[in-house]
Amino acid sequence: MVMKVYGSLVSSNVVRVLVCLEEAGAEYELVPIDFAAGEHKSPAHLARNPFGQVPVLQDGDLILFESRAISRYILRKHKSTCVDLLKVVNLQESALVDQWLEVEAQKYDPAVSPIVFQLLVLPMLGGVCDQAVVDAALPKLEKVLDVYEARLSKSKYLAGDSVTLADLSHVPLTYYFMGTPYASIMESYPNVKKWWEALMARPAMKKVAATLSTSA
Ligand code: GS8
């Protein structure tokens, strides 16, 4: 039975999971959840995720929520092709993957997501962008990018010289951010820009990006 991902492509957290499935070369089915109809809060979906959120992964009798936990599961399940993406064979290297994954979740995501939400998601839902929220988030994002720029001047990827889940986890929100008028701030971060271009050149990323552009 193929794995099912419940959610919609407008959710960056769903896209994080799709990126991992594509990297793993896994077969999957995307099962749409209609937010406008409140399907994410329906009894059927609350049985999958009591928080009423997407994504949810179903693999046989396993039902899993939280995109980063799902991502780790997919890469561990496909360890023959994905072992390097978690660097599981080396204790110190895998600790660095965990560290940068935490940075993505705790520092990068909170800085960039208000910008993406205000400029792209809200208008799509018929709302109006609150520029004050964007203006408050930008310096926070720049502070995080200062750290990334320094790190990426020493190694090609965040956890070392090969790509890992820590890098891939940045793809969804960065992809959406690059579609905002503030994408040009990346010009001030040449190493971050090079890192982003290397990520986007990956076949799995091209495939996900093509799906996102046709669904927009
Ligand atoms: C966040 C999921 C989430 O916020 C994860 O999976 O990483 N930490 C979780 N999902 C949003 C869609 S935006 O990606 C969601 O389902 N929102 C509906 C709601 O909160 O009611």
Side-chain angles (χ1 to χ4, degrees):
M1 200 169 42
V2 302
M3 288 185 273
K4 285 185 182 166
V5 180
Y6 294 87
S8 124
L9 288 171
V10 294
S11 159
S12 59
N13 294 301
V14 171
V15 176
R16 175 172 297 109
V17 169
L18 301 190
V19 161
C20 291
L21 286 163
E22 291 296 344
E23 283 285 345
E27 261 190 86
Y28 63 93
E29 178 193 346
L30 184 62
V31 183
I33 293 290
D34 186 348
F35 267 50
E39 198 185 348
H40 54 309
K41 305 297 178 195
S42 67
H45 192 71
L46 286 168
R48 295 179 201 113
N49 179 352
F51 295 105
Q53 293 187 320
V54 295
V56 170
L57 179 85
Q58 183 170 8
D59 186 15
D61 57 8
L62 175 73
I63 308 255
L64 207 55
F65 54 86
E66 286 297 333
S67 62
R68 294 169 184 87
I70 298 171
S71 298
R72 285 187 178 97
Y73 171 76
I74 292 164
L75 300 185
R76 284 181 193 139
K77 179 174 167 152
H78 295 86
K79 53 180 178 293
S80 58
T81 45
C82 296
V83 68
D84 282 351
L85 293 173
L86 292 171
K87 296 203 185 245
V88 277
V89 287
N90 182 303
L91 183 62
Q92 293 193 354
E93 288 178 357
S94 68
L96 286 178
V97 176
D98 287 346
Q99 171 189 282
W100 286 104
L101 264 171
E102 285 299 323
V103 172
E104 181 276 317
Q106 310 295 340
K107 298 199 160 50
Y108 186 79
D109 184 309
V112 77
S113 62
I115 301 172
V116 168
F117 184 78
Q118 292 295 327
L119 291 162
L120 299 183
V121 182
L122 210 53
M124 222 158 53
L125 300 173
V128 178
C129 163
D130 182 344
Q131 188 59 38
V133 173
V134 176
D135 292 346
L138 275 170
K140 289 182 192 155
L141 177 61
E142 285 167 341
K143 234 172 138 179
V144 177
L145 290 177
D146 285 343
V147 174
Y148 281 32
E149 181 63 15
R151 170 64 187 169
L152 294 167
S153 71
K154 297 195 184 83
S155 59
K156 190 170 176 208
Y157 294 97
L158 290 169
D161 281 323
S162 67
V163 69
T164 69
L165 177 60
D167 307 292
L168 300 179
S169 203
H170 288 76
V171 164
L173 276 171
T174 311
Y175 181 84
Y176 288 127
F177 176 79
M178 295 307 270
T180 74
Y182 295 95
S184 56
I185 70 165
M186 288 298 185
E187 300 303 323
S188 311
Y189 301 96
N191 288 303
V192 176
K193 195 174 165 220
K194 224 176 350 164
W195 165 78
W196 176 243
E197 286 165 357
L199 288 176
M200 287 312 287
R202 299 179 69 75
M205 302 307 123
K206 286 188 184 158
K207 202 164 164 202
V208 174
T211 316
L212 294 179
S213 59
T214 50
S215 71

PDB file of all heavy atoms in Angstrom, residues 5 17 24 38 51 57 65 69-70 83-84 89 98 125-126 134 150 157 191 196 200 214:
ATOM      1  N   VAL A   5      -0.278  11.086   2.089  1.00  0.00           N
ATOM      2  CA  VAL A   5      -0.012  12.350   2.781  1.00  0.00           C
ATOM      3  C   VAL A   5      -1.290  13.165   2.706  1.00  0.00           C
ATOM      4  O   VAL A   5      -1.774  13.478   1.606  1.00  0.00           O
ATOM      5  CB  VAL A   5       1.135  13.144   2.103  1.00  0.00           C
ATOM      6  CG1 VAL A   5       1.387  14.446   2.851  1.00  0.00           C
ATOM      7  CG2 VAL A   5       2.400  12.314   2.027  1.00  0.00           C
ATOM      8  N   VAL A  17       7.352  17.428   3.721  1.00  0.00           N
ATOM      9  CA  VAL A  17       7.193  15.971   3.637  1.00  0.00           C
ATOM     10  C   VAL A  17       7.361  15.499   2.183  1.00  0.00           C
ATOM     11  O   VAL A  17       8.031  14.492   1.922  1.00  0.00           O
ATOM     12  CB  VAL A  17       5.809  15.580   4.208  1.00  0.00           C
ATOM     13  CG1 VAL A  17       5.468  14.136   3.903  1.00  0.00           C
ATOM     14  CG2 VAL A  17       5.777  15.839   5.713  1.00  0.00           C
ATOM     15  N   ALA A  24      13.590  10.411  -1.353  1.00  0.00           N
ATOM     16  CA  ALA A  24      13.646   8.968  -1.079  1.00  0.00           C
ATOM     17  C   ALA A  24      13.237   8.151  -2.305  1.00  0.00           C
ATOM     18  O   ALA A  24      13.440   6.944  -2.338  1.00  0.00           O
ATOM     19  CB  ALA A  24      12.733   8.639   0.096  1.00  0.00           C
ATOM     20  N   GLY A  38     -13.343  23.364   6.106  1.00  0.00           N
ATOM     21  CA  GLY A  38     -13.085  22.980   7.507  1.00  0.00           C
ATOM     22  C   GLY A  38     -12.787  21.499   7.681  1.00  0.00           C
ATOM     23  O   GLY A  38     -12.906  20.959   8.784  1.00  0.00           O
ATOM     24  N   PHE A  51      -4.724  17.740  16.688  1.00  0.00           N
ATOM     25  CA  PHE A  51      -4.561  19.192  16.613  1.00  0.00           C
ATOM     26  C   PHE A  51      -5.266  19.771  15.376  1.00  0.00           C
ATOM     27  O   PHE A  51      -5.262  20.984  15.167  1.00  0.00           O
ATOM     28  CB  PHE A  51      -3.073  19.570  16.607  1.00  0.00           C
ATOM     29  CG  PHE A  51      -2.377  19.219  17.897  1.00  0.00           C
ATOM     30  CD1 PHE A  51      -1.529  18.120  17.971  1.00  0.00           C
ATOM     31  CD2 PHE A  51      -2.594  19.951  19.053  1.00  0.00           C
ATOM     32  CE1 PHE A  51      -0.904  17.776  19.168  1.00  0.00           C
ATOM     33  CE2 PHE A  51      -1.974  19.615  20.253  1.00  0.00           C
ATOM     34  CZ  PHE A  51      -1.127  18.526  20.308  1.00  0.00           C
ATOM     35  N   LEU A  57       0.803  11.742   7.786  1.00  0.00           N
ATOM     36  CA  LEU A  57       1.250  10.633   6.931  1.00  0.00           C
ATOM     37  C   LEU A  57       0.571   9.367   7.401  1.00  0.00           C
ATOM     38  O   LEU A  57       0.491   9.125   8.611  1.00  0.00           O
ATOM     39  CB  LEU A  57       2.766  10.449   7.039  1.00  0.00           C
ATOM     40  CG  LEU A  57       3.344   9.308   6.197  1.00  0.00           C
ATOM     41  CD1 LEU A  57       3.610   9.776   4.770  1.00  0.00           C
ATOM     42  CD2 LEU A  57       4.639   8.762   6.802  1.00  0.00           C
ATOM     43  N   PHE A  65       1.757  12.602  12.662  1.00  0.00           N
ATOM     44  CA  PHE A  65       1.695  14.033  12.355  1.00  0.00           C
ATOM     45  C   PHE A  65       2.987  14.703  12.802  1.00  0.00           C
ATOM     46  O   PHE A  65       3.834  14.044  13.382  1.00  0.00           O
ATOM     47  CB  PHE A  65       0.435  14.693  12.941  1.00  0.00           C
ATOM     48  CG  PHE A  65       0.213  14.492  14.423  1.00  0.00           C
ATOM     49  CD1 PHE A  65       0.796  15.348  15.351  1.00  0.00           C
ATOM     50  CD2 PHE A  65      -0.591  13.457  14.886  1.00  0.00           C
ATOM     51  CE1 PHE A  65       0.577  15.182  16.708  1.00  0.00           C
ATOM     52  CE2 PHE A  65      -0.806  13.288  16.259  1.00  0.00           C
ATOM     53  CZ  PHE A  65      -0.221  14.150  17.161  1.00  0.00           C
ATOM     54  N   ALA A  69       8.912  15.154  12.149  1.00  0.00           N
ATOM     55  CA  ALA A  69       8.926  13.749  12.581  1.00  0.00           C
ATOM     56  C   ALA A  69       8.617  12.841  11.383  1.00  0.00           C
ATOM     57  O   ALA A  69       9.251  11.791  11.205  1.00  0.00           O
ATOM     58  CB  ALA A  69       7.905  13.528  13.696  1.00  0.00           C
ATOM     59  N   ILE A  70       7.676  13.275  10.551  1.00  0.00           N
ATOM     60  CA  ILE A  70       7.335  12.497   9.349  1.00  0.00           C
ATOM     61  C   ILE A  70       8.564  12.418   8.427  1.00  0.00           C
ATOM     62  O   ILE A  70       8.886  11.357   7.885  1.00  0.00           O
ATOM     63  CB  ILE A  70       6.136  13.140   8.599  1.00  0.00           C
ATOM     64  CG1 ILE A  70       4.873  13.140   9.483  1.00  0.00           C
ATOM     65  CG2 ILE A  70       5.879  12.426   7.274  1.00  0.00           C
ATOM     66  CD1 ILE A  70       3.706  13.959   8.902  1.00  0.00           C
ATOM     67  N   VAL A  83      20.574   7.355   3.701  1.00  0.00           N
ATOM     68  CA  VAL A  83      21.376   7.291   4.926  1.00  0.00           C
ATOM     69  C   VAL A  83      22.165   8.592   5.148  1.00  0.00           C
ATOM     70  O   VAL A  83      22.263   9.088   6.268  1.00  0.00           O
ATOM     71  CB  VAL A  83      22.272   6.022   4.941  1.00  0.00           C
ATOM     72  CG1 VAL A  83      23.358   6.084   3.904  1.00  0.00           C
ATOM     73  CG2 VAL A  83      22.858   5.778   6.308  1.00  0.00           C
ATOM     74  N   ASP A  84      22.678   9.174   4.061  1.00  0.00           N
ATOM     75  CA  ASP A  84      23.488  10.387   4.196  1.00  0.00           C
ATOM     76  C   ASP A  84      22.667  11.607   4.608  1.00  0.00           C
ATOM     77  O   ASP A  84      23.214  12.568   5.139  1.00  0.00           O
ATOM     78  CB  ASP A  84      24.189  10.705   2.866  1.00  0.00           C
ATOM     79  CG  ASP A  84      25.397   9.814   2.679  1.00  0.00           C
ATOM     80  OD1 ASP A  84      25.756   9.108   3.635  1.00  0.00           O
ATOM     81  OD2 ASP A  84      25.966   9.828   1.575  1.00  0.00           O
ATOM     82  N   VAL A  89      25.275   7.187  10.457  1.00  0.00           N
ATOM     83  CA  VAL A  89      26.405   6.308  10.785  1.00  0.00           C
ATOM     84  C   VAL A  89      27.465   7.002  11.646  1.00  0.00           C
ATOM     85  O   VAL A  89      28.324   6.346  12.218  1.00  0.00           O
ATOM     86  CB  VAL A  89      27.066   5.700   9.517  1.00  0.00           C
ATOM     87  CG1 VAL A  89      26.177   4.632   8.900  1.00  0.00           C
ATOM     88  CG2 VAL A  89      27.450   6.764   8.523  1.00  0.00           C
ATOM     89  N   ASP A  98      20.884  17.248  13.681  1.00  0.00           N
ATOM     90  CA  ASP A  98      19.830  17.567  14.661  1.00  0.00           C
ATOM     91  C   ASP A  98      19.900  19.041  15.072  1.00  0.00           C
ATOM     92  O   ASP A  98      18.878  19.713  15.200  1.00  0.00           O
ATOM     93  CB  ASP A  98      19.971  16.692  15.919  1.00  0.00           C
ATOM     94  CG  ASP A  98      19.549  15.249  15.664  1.00  0.00           C
ATOM     95  OD1 ASP A  98      18.915  14.981  14.625  1.00  0.00           O
ATOM     96  OD2 ASP A  98      19.870  14.383  16.493  1.00  0.00           O
ATOM     97  N   LEU A 125      -6.207  34.089   0.849  1.00  0.00           N
ATOM     98  CA  LEU A 125      -7.415  33.790   1.624  1.00  0.00           C
ATOM     99  C   LEU A 125      -8.381  34.982   1.643  1.00  0.00           C
ATOM    100  O   LEU A 125      -9.361  34.990   2.375  1.00  0.00           O
ATOM    101  CB  LEU A 125      -7.041  33.432   3.080  1.00  0.00           C
ATOM    102  CG  LEU A 125      -6.124  32.228   3.273  1.00  0.00           C
ATOM    103  CD1 LEU A 125      -5.699  32.080   4.723  1.00  0.00           C
ATOM    104  CD2 LEU A 125      -6.819  30.948   2.797  1.00  0.00           C
ATOM    105  N   GLY A 126      -8.023  36.031   0.873  1.00  0.00           N
ATOM    106  CA  GLY A 126      -8.899  37.203   0.796  1.00  0.00           C
ATOM    107  C   GLY A 126      -8.589  38.241   1.863  1.00  0.00           C
ATOM    108  O   GLY A 126      -9.314  39.225   2.016  1.00  0.00           O
ATOM    109  N   VAL A 134       5.345  42.276   8.749  1.00  0.00           N
ATOM    110  CA  VAL A 134       6.476  41.990   7.848  1.00  0.00           C
ATOM    111  C   VAL A 134       7.705  42.784   8.307  1.00  0.00           C
ATOM    112  O   VAL A 134       8.812  42.232   8.420  1.00  0.00           O
ATOM    113  CB  VAL A 134       6.109  42.355   6.382  1.00  0.00           C
ATOM    114  CG1 VAL A 134       7.295  42.151   5.449  1.00  0.00           C
ATOM    115  CG2 VAL A 134       4.901  41.545   5.922  1.00  0.00           C
ATOM    116  N   ALA A 150      27.705  33.046   7.849  1.00  0.00           N
ATOM    117  CA  ALA A 150      28.997  32.700   8.467  1.00  0.00           C
ATOM    118  C   ALA A 150      29.217  31.184   8.402  1.00  0.00           C
ATOM    119  O   ALA A 150      30.294  30.706   8.038  1.00  0.00           O
ATOM    120  CB  ALA A 150      29.026  33.188   9.908  1.00  0.00           C
ATOM    121  N   TYR A 157      27.086  22.914   3.109  1.00  0.00           N
ATOM    122  CA  TYR A 157      25.727  22.761   3.654  1.00  0.00           C
ATOM    123  C   TYR A 157      25.779  22.993   5.163  1.00  0.00           C
ATOM    124  O   TYR A 157      26.870  23.070   5.744  1.00  0.00           O
ATOM    125  CB  TYR A 157      25.174  21.369   3.315  1.00  0.00           C
ATOM    126  CG  TYR A 157      24.972  21.180   1.832  1.00  0.00           C
ATOM    127  CD1 TYR A 157      25.932  20.533   1.053  1.00  0.00           C
ATOM    128  CD2 TYR A 157      23.836  21.694   1.199  1.00  0.00           C
ATOM    129  CE1 TYR A 157      25.758  20.387  -0.323  1.00  0.00           C
ATOM    130  CE2 TYR A 157      23.654  21.553  -0.177  1.00  0.00           C
ATOM    131  CZ  TYR A 157      24.615  20.903  -0.924  1.00  0.00           C
ATOM    132  OH  TYR A 157      24.440  20.772  -2.278  1.00  0.00           O
ATOM    133  N   ASN A 191      26.813  33.383   0.312  1.00  0.00           N
ATOM    134  CA  ASN A 191      26.942  31.947   0.600  1.00  0.00           C
ATOM    135  C   ASN A 191      25.584  31.287   0.800  1.00  0.00           C
ATOM    136  O   ASN A 191      25.381  30.132   0.420  1.00  0.00           O
ATOM    137  CB  ASN A 191      27.841  31.722   1.826  1.00  0.00           C
ATOM    138  CG  ASN A 191      29.288  32.001   1.481  1.00  0.00           C
ATOM    139  OD1 ASN A 191      29.844  31.391   0.567  1.00  0.00           O
ATOM    140  ND2 ASN A 191      29.890  32.966   2.161  1.00  0.00           N
ATOM    141  N   TRP A 196      21.275  27.957  -1.490  1.00  0.00           N
ATOM    142  CA  TRP A 196      19.892  27.842  -1.971  1.00  0.00           C
ATOM    143  C   TRP A 196      19.866  27.331  -3.413  1.00  0.00           C
ATOM    144  O   TRP A 196      19.080  26.465  -3.771  1.00  0.00           O
ATOM    145  CB  TRP A 196      19.177  29.190  -1.831  1.00  0.00           C
ATOM    146  CG  TRP A 196      17.791  29.164  -2.386  1.00  0.00           C
ATOM    147  CD1 TRP A 196      17.301  29.899  -3.430  1.00  0.00           C
ATOM    148  CD2 TRP A 196      16.703  28.333  -1.948  1.00  0.00           C
ATOM    149  NE1 TRP A 196      15.987  29.573  -3.667  1.00  0.00           N
ATOM    150  CE2 TRP A 196      15.605  28.623  -2.774  1.00  0.00           C
ATOM    151  CE3 TRP A 196      16.571  27.369  -0.947  1.00  0.00           C
ATOM    152  CZ2 TRP A 196      14.371  27.979  -2.629  1.00  0.00           C
ATOM    153  CZ3 TRP A 196      15.347  26.723  -0.807  1.00  0.00           C
ATOM    154  CH2 TRP A 196      14.273  27.035  -1.639  1.00  0.00           C
ATOM    155  N   MET A 200      18.133  23.938  -4.888  1.00  0.00           N
ATOM    156  CA  MET A 200      17.109  23.972  -5.937  1.00  0.00           C
ATOM    157  C   MET A 200      17.534  23.227  -7.199  1.00  0.00           C
ATOM    158  O   MET A 200      16.698  22.917  -8.049  1.00  0.00           O
ATOM    159  CB  MET A 200      16.730  25.429  -6.272  1.00  0.00           C
ATOM    160  CG  MET A 200      15.888  26.089  -5.191  1.00  0.00           C
ATOM    161  SD  MET A 200      14.507  25.068  -4.628  1.00  0.00           S
ATOM    162  CE  MET A 200      13.413  25.168  -6.018  1.00  0.00           C
ATOM    163  N   THR A 214       2.578  24.458 -10.927  1.00  0.00           N
ATOM    164  CA  THR A 214       1.374  24.105 -11.685  1.00  0.00           C
ATOM    165  C   THR A 214       0.129  24.159 -10.805  1.00  0.00           C
ATOM    166  O   THR A 214      -0.981  24.294 -11.294  1.00  0.00           O
ATOM    167  CB  THR A 214       1.459  22.698 -12.332  1.00  0.00           C
ATOM    168  OG1 THR A 214       1.872  21.791 -11.329  1.00  0.00           O
ATOM    169  CG2 THR A 214       2.426  22.661 -13.480  1.00  0.00           C
TER     170      THR A 214
END
